[in-house]
Amino acid sequence: MERQWPMLQIALDNLSLDQAFVTTRLIAGEVDIIEVGTILCVSEGVRAVREIKALYPGHIVLADAKIADAGKILSEMCFKASADWVTVICCADINTVKGALQTAHQYGGDVQIELTGSWQMAQAHDWYDAGVRQLVYHRSRDAQAAGASWTEQDLATLQQLSDMGFKLTITGGLVVDDLPLFSHLPIHAFIAGRSIRDAADPVAAAREFRQTIRHIWG
Amino acid sequence: MERQWPMLQIALDNLSLDQAFVTTRLIAGEVDIIEVGTILCVSEGVRAVREIKALYPGHIVLADAKIADAGKILSEMCFKASADWVTVICCADINTVKGALQTAHQYGGDVQIELTGSWQMAQAHDWYDAGVRQLVYHRSRDAQAAGASWTEQDLATLQQLSDMGFKLTITGGLVVDDLPLFSHLPIHAFIAGRSIRDAADPVAAAREFRQTIRHIWG
C-alpha cells in the first residue's frame, strides 16, 4: 500500500560531511529521504553519497547533483555510489534527461527534475513523455533571500503539474507554517533544510514537520 | 596589451584526479586555461580545484560547477579553493548570478554563464546588466551525441551575443576542423576535451589547436 502522507526529506547542504553527520545522527530516524545537497556534493564529491547510504541503508538517498549535461556519466557516478535518486536541472537538454533516466532504471533508481530558476511549462510535457515522473518545485534560495515568497502562481503551477501526473517534491526555505498552503495537493515529499538543521532542537523540529504533515494529509 | 587570439582551454572531464593529472602533466604547457570539469567536481569535490591550481599556479583555473542556486556559497567554496573563474548555469535565478558575481569580485575572480540546454535571449540582457561579461556557448554533449551539429543558428546567436559585448567561450565536442566556422568572431576561448585528452598524441593535438587558432586569428 502506498503511503498516505507526504514524505519528509532532510537536505544536507553542509560544507562538509562531518557537519552533515551532526544532523543525520540526530534526526535520521525522523525523515524518509536524506538529500546529499549540491553544496555537499561539490564540497566532498560523490563519496558523500556513498558514506551517507552506508550509514543509512534503509533511507532513500538523493544526490542533488543538478545534472545539466553528461546525463549518463554523472548519474551513473551517483548511482554507483548507491544513490537512489538523482536530480537533473530544468534547463538540461532532453537527451541529458533521457540519459540520466535510462541509467537510473538500470540501477533501479529514479530521476527528479529540479525546477530552479527559469523553465517553461512546455518542457513538462517533454519530461513526462521521456518517462520522468518526479519534479522538485524549488523556490530559489537566492530568490527567497531577495524576498520572493510562495505565491498563488506557485500553487496554480503545482496544481497543473500534479494534474499532469507528476509526483511533486516541494522545497525552498520551507517552514512548518508553510505546509497548509499545499494541503489540497497530493504532495510526494517536503524538503526541509535549515529549518531543521539550524533549529535549537533539530529532533523536535523534524517531529513537528512530520506531525503537521500527518495532521494535514492523514 | 590584450592577446590577439582566442585562448585554449582543456576540459578535465575525468572521473578521477589521477586520470586528470595524466593529461595535465602532458599538455599544461600548451593551454591557457585548465577547466576542472563538472564530472571531476562531482567525483572528487572541490579539492580537485585546489590541487590543480597548486600544480599550475600560472594558469587560469576554471571550476565548471554549473551553479544553479546558492550562488554565494558555492562560488565562495570554489574561489576559496583558488579557482579563478566559476560557471553558473543559464537557468539560474538572476539573484544566484548576482551572488556568484559579487563573490567573484571579492576574490578577484570571474563568473561565466554556461549556455547549456534551454535559455532565452532576453536573459542575456539581464546577465549583462548584472555585470556578467563571459558566456560559455555549449553544444550539449548529449544533444551532440544525438546528432546535433553546429548550425547557422548557433553562429547567428554567437554574433548577437558578441555584439552585446560578451566574451565568448565555445565548447561542445570541438575538433580542429570546427575552428574556421568561428573565424569572423572575436572568440575569447575555445574548450577542447576529448579531442585532446583521448588523442593518440595529446601534445600534438593541443599544438594543432593552438597553431590553427593562431593561423586563423593571428
Side-chain angles (χ1 to χ4, degrees), chain A residues 34-184:
Chain A
I34 301 178
E35 171 193 333
V36 181
T38 313
I39 291 169
L40 192 54
C41 284
V42 172
S43 175
E44 299 274 19
V46 78
R47 82 175 181 99
V49 176
R50 190 179 301 114
E51 295 184 14
I52 289 286
K53 185 67 179 185
L55 280 165
Y56 307 103
H59 285 66
I60 296 168
V61 172
L62 167 70
D64 188 19
K66 295 190 172 66
I67 295 170
D69 198 5
K72 284 187 189 182
I73 294 174
L74 282 168
S75 66
E76 182 159 46
M77 195 184 292
C78 296
F79 290 123
K80 276 190 172 163
S82 306
D84 295 290
W85 300 345
V86 303
T87 59
V88 169
I89 191 75
C90 53
C91 59
D93 186 273
I94 193 67
N95 293 295
T96 301
V97 174
K98 288 177 181 172
L101 205 54
Q102 185 184 333
T103 307
H105 293 166
Q106 285 165 5
Y107 284 84
D110 203 7
V111 167
Q112 300 183 314
I113 304 286
E114 173 90 9
L115 303 178
T116 291
S118 168
W119 61 281
Q120 314 290 323
M121 187 57 79
Q123 294 175 266
H125 297 276
D126 295 337
W127 297 327
Y128 196 89
D129 290 346
V132 172
R133 290 299 174 270
Q134 290 202 64
L135 302 181
V136 182
Y137 192 87
H138 198 136
R139 188 167 60 137
S140 157
R141 185 174 182 136
D142 295 320
Q144 177 197 331
S149 185
W150 296 102
T151 64
E152 285 300 315
Q153 181 57 52
D154 286 322
L155 296 171
T157 303
L158 285 167
Q159 185 71 59
Q160 197 173 347
L161 295 170
S162 179
D163 291 345
M164 287 178 67
F166 288 110
K167 292 180 180 176
L168 300 174
T169 291
I170 307 288
T171 188
L174 269 185
V175 294
V176 165
D177 288 347
D178 291 328
L179 296 177
L181 281 173
F182 309 99
S183 63
H184 58 296

Side-chain angles (χ1 to χ4, degrees), chain B residues 37-72:
Chain B
T38 313
I39 291 170
L40 191 55
C41 285
V42 172
S43 175
E44 299 273 19
V46 77
R47 82 176 182 99
V49 176
R50 191 179 300 115
E51 296 185 11
I52 289 286
K53 186 67 179 186
L55 281 164
Y56 307 103
H59 285 67
I60 296 168
V61 172
L62 167 70
D64 188 19
K66 293 188 173 68
I67 294 169
D69 199 5
K72 283 187 190 182

Side-chain angles (χ1 to χ4, degrees), chain B residues 14-201:
Chain B
N14 302 89
L15 292 166
S16 66
L17 260 175
D18 57 289
Q19 289 169 24
F21 293 157
V22 170
T23 298
T24 59
R25 76 175 176 84
L26 287 175
I27 58 90
E30 308 296 332
V31 301
D32 307 288
I33 305 163
I34 301 178
E35 170 192 332
V36 180
T38 313
I39 291 170
L40 191 55
C41 285
V42 172
S43 175
E44 299 273 19
V46 77
R47 82 176 182 99
V49 176
R50 191 179 300 115
E51 296 185 11
I52 289 286
K53 186 67 179 186
L55 281 164
Y56 307 103
H59 285 67
I60 296 168
V61 172
L62 167 70
D64 188 19
K66 293 188 173 68
I67 294 169
D69 199 5
K72 283 187 190 182
I73 294 173
L74 282 169
S75 66
E76 181 158 48
M77 195 184 292
C78 295
F79 290 123
K80 275 190 170 163
S82 306
D84 296 289
W85 300 344
V86 303
T87 59
V88 170
I89 191 74
C90 53
C91 60
D93 186 273
I94 193 68
N95 294 296
T96 300
V97 174
K98 288 176 181 172
L101 204 55
Q102 186 185 333
T103 307
H105 293 165
Q106 285 165 4
Y107 284 84
D110 203 7
V111 167
Q112 300 182 314
I113 304 287
E114 173 89 9
L115 303 177
T116 291
S118 169
W119 60 282
Q120 314 289 323
M121 187 57 78
Q123 295 175 264
H125 297 277
D126 295 337
W127 297 327
Y128 197 89
D129 290 345
V132 173
R133 291 297 177 269
Q134 291 201 62
L135 301 180
V136 182
Y137 192 87
H138 198 136
R139 188 167 59 137
S140 156
R141 186 175 182 135
D142 295 320
Q144 176 195 336
S149 185
W150 297 102
T151 63
E152 284 300 314
Q153 181 59 53
D154 287 321
L155 296 172
T157 303
L158 285 168
Q159 183 72 61
Q160 197 173 346
L161 295 170
S162 178
D163 291 346
M164 287 177 67
F166 288 110
K167 293 179 180 178
L168 300 174
T169 292
I170 307 288
T171 186
L174 268 187
V175 293
V176 165
D177 289 348
D178 291 329
L179 296 178
L181 280 172
F182 309 99
S183 63
H184 58 295
L185 291 164
I187 301 299
H188 189 226
F190 286 105
I191 308 179
R194 287 162 289 174
S195 57
I196 291 178
R197 292 200 319 270
D198 299 347
D201 183 343

